[in-house]
Amino acid sequence: MDRKFTRREFGIMAGVAASTLAAPAIAQGKPKVVVIGGGPGGATAARYIAKDSKGAVDVTLIEANARHTTCFFSNLYIGGLRSFDSITHGYDKLASDHGINVVTGFATSVDTAKRIVTVAGGQSVSYDKLVVAPGIDFKYEAYEGYSKEVAETIPHAWQAGPQSQILRRQLEAMDDGGVFLIAPPPNPFRCPPGPYERIALVAQYLKRNKPKSKIIAVDAKDKFSKQALFEEGWAKYYDGMIEWLPLNITGGVKAVDEKGMTLHTGGESFKGDVINVIPPQKAGAIATAAGLANETGWCPIDPFTMASTRAPHVYVLGDSSIAAAMPKSGFAANSQAKACAMAIRAELTGSRAFEPRYSNTCWSMIASGDGVKVGASYKATREKIASTDTFISKTGEDAAMRTATAEEAEGWYAGISADIFG
Ligand SMILES: Cc1cc2nc3c(=O)[nH]c(=O)nc-3n(C[C@H](O)[C@H](O)[C@H](O)COP(=O)(O)OP(=O)(O)OC[C@H]3O[C@@H](n4cnc5c(N)ncnc54)[C@H](O)[C@@H]3O)c2cc1C
C-alpha cells in the first residue's frame, strides 16, 4: 500500500541524500533542477518534475543533440521496417508545454561541491538538484584495433542516430551472398535482448532482399536473454542463415581489423562484408567525470530515490545507474525517472512521496508480426531494486498471440514516446 515517507525515513534510505536533508533550505527564488541527458531517463525526469510542480521548480534540460533518436525500435529501422524519422523526436513540447529550459549542448563538467554544470562553449548552470542521465559509453579499448573512429566503418549502432544510419546503408549496399558479422557484448549492457532482435530483423531483411547471405554472431557470452524464443524464431523464419557462436567456442572477439574487415578471436578469425561490433559498456562519460561511477564503471544509487550514493544533491537514472535487478532499458529508465522526479519534488516543494514502484517490459520482434516479451515489476529495498514478479513469452505460442504482442509493442512505442518527449 502506498504510504507517505517521513523525512527521517527518506534520510535513512537515501544514503548520501540524507545529508541533503540537513543542508540549508533552498536559496531564495524557485528551486533549480538541472538534468543532463535528454533520453528516456533524463527527458522523462525533466518533464515530470516540471509538469507536476506546476511552475514551482525551474527545470533545465541539457542535451547534446537537438533531436533524440530512440535506440528502441532502431532495430526495426535497420531491418527496413520503420523510417528514421519515425524514431526521432524533438524537445519542442518539453519547452512549450512545460516551460523547460532546453539547452542544446554537451555538458563537459560537474562541480558537485559548488553545484554547477558547465556546458561546452563555457555556459555554466547552477542547480539545487542535478539529474545525470547520459546513457552509456563504450570501452573501445577492450578490442584491439577498435575505436570511435573505426566505428565509422565498423559501427556499433548501439547509440541510435548516425550509427544506425551507417549500418542500414551498409546492409543495403551489401551483395547478395555477403556475410553480416555481429559481435554482441558481454554483460552488463544496454538492452539485453537487443543484439538478438537485431540478428532476427537483419535476417528478415536479407531473406527478402539478399537470400544467399549469412549472419555470424561471435558472442561474448554463453547465453542470452529470451534465448529459447530467439532460437526458435531464427530456426522457424531464417533456417540455415544464422550461426550463433557462444564464448566457449570462440573465446570472444579480441581484435578488430578494419582494413581486412575481420574479427580476431582467441582462435578463429571471421571475415565479414558488414561488421557490427557492440563493445563492452560503462556509464556515460559525464557521470564518470563527475565521480558518480564506482569501480564497476556504473553509478551506485539509492534504490528508493535514484539519488547517487557518491555525491549529494545528485541523482543518476537509466543506463548509467546500477539498478540491480532492472535491465538497462528505455522502459526501465522512464520508470526510474518518475520515481526520481517524485523524490526530487518532495525534497524541493514538500509534496508527498510514495513508495516507488518500478516496472519494465522488453518487447522484441522476431519477424514482422511476431513479437515476444519479457518483463517484471520491482520494488526498492535497502540493498537494491529487487524484482517482485517476472513474465516471459513462451515458445510455441500461436500466431495470434505473437501478432497481439507485436501490436502491443507498437502501442508501447507510441505511449512511451509521448510520455518522454510530450
Ligand atoms: C538496438 C537497441 C534496441 C533497444 N530496444 C529497446 C526496447 O525495445 N525497449 C526498451 O525499453 N529499451 C530498449 N533499448 C534500450 C534503451 O534504448 C536504453 O536503455 C535507453 O535509451 C536508456 O536511456 P537513458 O536515458 O539512460 O540513455 P540514452 O537513451 O542514451 O540517453 C542519454 C542522452 O544523454 C545525452 N548525453 C550524454 N552525455 C551528455 C552530455 N555530457 N551532455 C549532454 N547530453 C548528453 C545523449 O545525447 C542522449 O540523448 C534498446 C537499445 C538498443 C541499442
Side-chain angles (χ1 to χ4, degrees), residues 217-239:
V218 184
D219 210 320
K221 304 176 292 303
D222 283 325
K223 54 185 184 164
F224 58 86
S225 172
K226 300 187 222 175
Q227 184 161 351
L229 293 163
F230 280 113
E231 288 182 336
E232 178 192 59
W234 293 345
K236 176 174 174 190
Y237 296 107
Y238 321 113
D239 196 24

Side-chain angles (χ1 to χ4, degrees), residues 37 39-41 63-64 68 71-72 107 134-135 158 190-191 319 328-331:
E63 162 56 45
H68 180 92
C71 282
F72 35 97
W158 220 243
R190 152 178 290 182
C191 195
D319 288 357
K328 298 187 186 302
S329 78
F331 196 132

